[in-house]
Amino acid sequence: MSSPPAPVPAGEEQPAAATKYVLITGGVVSGLGKGVTASSVGVVLKACGLRVTCIKIDPYLNTDAGTMSPFEHGEVFVLDDGGEVDLDLGNYERFIDVTLTRDNNITTGKIYQSVIEKERKGDYLGKTVQVIPHVTDEIKQWIQSVSSVPVDGQTRPADVCVIELGGTVGDIESMPFIEALRQLSFSLGKENFCLIHVSLVPVLGVVGEQKTKPTQHSVRELRALGLTPDLLACRSAQPLIGSVKEKLSQFCHVPVENILNIHDVPNLWHVPLILRNQKAHEAIIKQLNLAGSAGQPELRDWTEMAESYDNLKNSVKIALVGKYTNLTDSYLSVVKALLHASVACSLKPSIQWIAASDLEDATAINTPDAHAKAWETLKGSACILIPGGFGDRGISGMILAAKYARENKVPYLGICLGMQISVIEMSKHVLGMADADSEEFNKDAPNHVVMYMPEVSKTHMGNTMRLGCRRTFFRNPDCLASKLYGSPPHVDERHRHRYEVNPSFVPMLEKAGLHFVGCDKSGNRMEIVELQDHPFYVGVQFHPEFKSRPRRPSPPFTGLIMAATKQLGTISNTSNGYVEASE
């Protein structure tokens, strides 16, 4: 288990100024966009010249998100240090452009495990270990220790730590965290702690009146727990009218100028601009007494990015063939990476969601309409992407999609499982090994072209995969993938997998035209494949989506979009890994 970083010992150099805190809580209902709000607050404060870090608190008992179902919790986001964390940390990294650690995601499981370990070691010897003070003290120590760790490449702690408390105020699971945060706000003082409460202002029925009562009750419950909001961030479909803000101010004890309205927008890049326009930064800076350190927000680049997306006219159809397509948050980072790459090519992404099982022959018998629609969608798309996943459901459909892309010269990108699918497909249909399979799907198959990695545990599931940022070396400097990255000798990307291509079959596959152009430092673990005589058929064992940023799109995704729109042409290398192309 990861323990919080140790505080600076007494007598050693202390930070010039203590980190201040902005806490984001939510009320009324879940799913209001606390993560986007927290990320946007970070963007605006960073634009004011302040250094920002983030913490996400998840009140579930899991120690991390690694073993949670994508259907239940959305994607598992992977950090450089191998942390498997909540998808909101992906939002923080993409919006604020920082590199977080596993300790920036606090869970009830981590806190209780740490407390129990201390109890077993005798740290509480003679004491009755209780939620208060021992659990709450552990939460406070964790927050203060993690917030002192720089996440932007500098050596000093951040000026502001934005904390998002998951769930909804009143949930029994979050009570120890609420109490710890109450104690923390009291001990730090008002000028070091700012609370933003995100709430819903719904419109009911045909009357069209914006209702404030849910927010009033939510704030009342928060105040009963000892926390008083300094700002309200009200979610609504349409902008709030003036009388609604005045009513909220009167009954929630929040100044009118501190009542923010985050209404629905064309794209999420507008949210920081909404906060800027409503002077959220001024209220936060005033509350935290940071006027001497902060300037006016510089968001010209962000404004251009948000507005340019709204003005895009053309789109590109991308077939995403996956296992968890019923919940798009399961592939959130993939969706964002496609967005970044498409915008870089002056296009809007039009993602065509295809359940892999709908492509299978069995579906043609049981639900022929779904089968026909899935194939029609696949054939009508400009490119095909198969993302990561686990388990054997839908694998036959993915193999058929990869086969279609290979035979019909359709641009194809396989990520993690998607790369393994391309290897299985080639083995079956080109090498003639009908029984070729992955050890994950069929342990008794005679030809395991994809095998279990020998160093990975077969008995424990949590935190046992090959995780985090790993180095991939290019075996062929003239390969397409290398050129997309700007022709470096190696690239560092994040991984999350238990299975790998069986090196015994690599010579046969390369002879058939599937070239393994990237590997790990040992030279035996294959990381990147390319198909010869194909406009774009690339598979990567890593997850490039996790490091994609709005202004630094992931090269494999950019290559896919360029190939889909016939922009790939001649690639010219650039020092920062961007790609430029012409017909």
Side-chain angles (χ1 to χ4, degrees):
M1 193 207 86
S2 175
S3 299
V8 179
E12 293 191 12
E13 182 184 359
Q14 299 292 323
T19 300
K20 297 173 185 279
Y21 298 88
V22 176
L23 171 64
I24 312 287
T25 60
V28 184
V29 294
S30 59
L32 283 177
K34 295 190 302 297
V36 173
T37 302
S39 302
S40 300
V41 167
V43 168
V44 176
L45 293 178
K46 183 178 179 180
C48 290
L50 298 171
R51 294 177 51 238
V52 179
T53 185
C54 295
I55 292 174
K56 172 67 187 297
I57 296 174
D58 284 304
Y60 46 67
L61 281 169
N62 306 64
T63 55
D64 60 34
T67 58
M68 300 176 75
S69 166
F71 283 123
E72 183 175 327
H73 198 66
E75 79 168 0
V76 176
F77 190 79
V78 179
L79 302 170
D80 271 3
D81 67 356
E84 297 173 285
V85 297
D86 183 84
L87 58 81
D88 278 318
L89 275 80
N91 283 327
Y92 305 158
E93 285 204 343
R94 284 186 290 268
F95 269 61
I96 311 172
D97 197 14
V98 292
T99 302
L100 302 174
T101 71
R102 67 179 73 232
D103 293 323
N104 290 84
N105 192 192
I106 304 175
T107 69
T108 300
K110 285 181 180 178
I111 295 298
Y112 274 82
Q113 188 171 1
S114 180
V115 169
I116 290 169
E117 284 180 355
K118 288 180 178 180
E119 186 275 331
R120 291 290 82 189
K121 287 193 299 183
D123 290 1
Y124 307 123
L125 204 57
K127 301 289 186 182
T128 302
V129 181
Q130 297 175 293
V131 172
I132 302 174
H134 302 100
V135 170
T136 51
D137 284 352
E138 185 71 19
I139 294 168
K140 289 187 292 182
Q141 180 196 347
W142 197 298
I143 289 171
Q144 292 183 291
S145 297
V146 172
S147 65
S148 69
V149 178
V151 295
D152 56 1
Q154 299 192 34
T155 57
R156 292 294 226 178
D159 300 308
V160 179
C161 176
V162 179
I163 305 171
E164 179 193 348
L165 176 61
T168 305
V169 169
D171 293 345
I172 192 169
E173 295 93 343
S174 61
M175 288 302 180
F177 293 101
I178 290 281
E179 172 58 22
L181 290 163
R182 182 198 66 78
Q183 294 178 19
L184 185 65
S185 67
F186 180 74
S187 62
L188 291 173
K190 287 187 176 181
E191 67 176 23
N192 293 305
F193 196 93
C194 178
L195 197 163
I196 303 175
H197 187 59
V198 182
S199 186
L200 177 67
V201 178
V203 173
L204 301 181
V206 296
V207 179
E209 182 184 0
Q210 294 175 329
K211 296 293 185 180
T212 64
K213 193 65 73 175
T215 298
Q216 291 180 42
H217 283 295
S218 180
V219 171
R220 183 182 304 166
E221 182 153 15
L222 187 63
R223 288 166 63 89
L225 295 170
L227 288 170
T228 300
D230 300 297
L231 292 88
L232 284 181
C234 299
R235 288 282 292 111
S236 62
Q238 299 295 329
L240 294 184
I241 60 177
S243 61
V244 170
K245 283 192 173 186
E246 292 171 3
K247 191 173 182 181
L248 285 168
S249 175
Q250 181 180 1
F251 288 101
C252 298
H253 293 207
V254 176
V256 173
E257 61 271 21
N258 285 9
I259 296 177
L260 312 173
N261 177 210
I262 305 176
H263 53 80
D264 292 349
V265 289
N267 70 74
L268 292 179
W269 292 337
H270 282 283
V271 178
L273 305 180
I274 287 177
L275 296 180
R276 187 270 316 270
N277 294 342
Q278 297 180 34
K279 302 188 185 318
H281 57 288
E282 293 183 4
I284 296 169
I285 289 167
K286 180 180 178 182
Q287 173 71 26
L288 297 179
N289 194 24
L290 284 170
S293 306
Q296 289 300 308
E298 174 49 66
L299 287 168
R300 279 180 296 183
D301 186 58
W302 196 276
T303 303
E304 179 187 338
M305 185 172 66
E307 292 178 350
S308 64
Y309 176 81
D310 293 340
N311 295 327
L312 292 175
K313 304 298 182 185
N314 299 322
S315 63
V316 54
K317 284 188 177 181
I318 306 153
L320 195 154
V321 183
K323 299 164 64 71
Y324 318 115
T325 53
N326 288 337
L327 180 65
T328 57
D329 270 2
S330 301
Y331 300 113
L332 182 61
S333 291
V334 171
V335 170
K336 297 302 182 185
L338 288 170
L339 171 65
H340 303 158
S342 298
V343 171
C345 296
S346 300
L347 296 163
K348 283 189 175 183
S350 176
I351 298 176
Q352 311 296 303
W353 297 94
I354 301 175
S357 55
D358 286 347
L359 296 170
E360 296 174 352
D361 296 338
T363 307
I365 300 171
N366 300 325
T367 52
D369 290 345
H371 180 266
K373 183 178 179 182
W375 274 103
E376 181 184 359
T377 303
L378 185 77
K379 292 178 180 180
S381 300
C383 58
I384 297 170
L385 187 151
I386 297 181
F390 298 92
D392 60 0
R393 182 177 56 81
I395 294 302
S396 297
M398 293 181 184
I399 291 172
L400 289 170
K403 182 174 184 284
Y404 175 81
R406 177 179 59 81
E407 293 179 340
N408 293 277
K409 308 288 188 188
V410 178
Y412 172 90
L413 176 60
I415 298 172
C416 195
L417 173 63
M419 170 179 154
Q420 296 170 9
I421 289 294
S422 65
V423 169
I424 297 171
E425 191 278 321
M426 280 283 289
S427 301
K428 285 178 176 290
H429 301 125
V430 178
L431 296 182
M433 294 189 294
D435 53 9
D437 214 332
S438 168
E439 193 174 355
E440 179 181 10
F441 314 137
N442 184 356
K443 290 181 171 52
D444 300 320
N447 287 306
H448 283 145
V449 293
V450 176
M451 67 179 195
Y452 213 101
M453 289 189 293
E455 72 271 26
V456 173
S457 171
K458 294 188 178 184
T459 58
H460 289 69
M461 302 296 286
N463 198 36
T464 57
M465 288 186 275
R466 184 169 179 252
L467 295 164
C469 191
R470 310 276 179 147
R471 182 154 289 181
T472 294
F473 295 86
F474 289 107
R475 302 171 79 194
N476 177 5
D478 293 325
C479 67
L480 178 58
S482 173
K483 291 177 180 178
L484 288 170
Y485 276 98
S487 295
H490 53 74
V491 292
D492 296 321
E493 293 281 11
R494 297 176 184 179
H495 293 67
R496 185 177 187 248
H497 64 114
R498 285 191 179 89
Y499 298 86
E500 64 175 330
V501 176
N502 189 334
S504 301
F505 291 90
V506 167
M508 295 172 60
L509 288 161
E510 291 205 309
K511 190 174 181 181
L514 190 66
H515 297 292
F516 293 85
V517 299
C519 62
D520 74 342
K521 63 181 179 180
S522 72
N524 294 319
R525 180 161 288 154
M526 298 301 114
E527 293 276 8
I528 307 174
V529 297
E530 291 180 7
L531 182 65
Q532 70 180 26
D533 302 325
H534 193 287
F536 188 91
Y537 192 97
V538 175
V540 292
Q541 186 59 71
F542 45 80
H543 287 266
E545 68 270 23
F546 291 142
K547 296 182 81 169
S548 181
R549 300 290 183 268
R551 289 302 197 189
R552 295 197 308 279
S554 170
F557 284 87
T558 308
L560 177 70
I561 300 302
M562 293 170 70
T565 52
K566 296 181 171 53
Q567 297 180 49
L568 202 51
T570 302
I571 302 174
S572 62
N573 301 330
T574 61
S575 60
N576 59 8
Y578 284 79
V579 292
E580 298 173 353
S582 58
E583 289 287 356

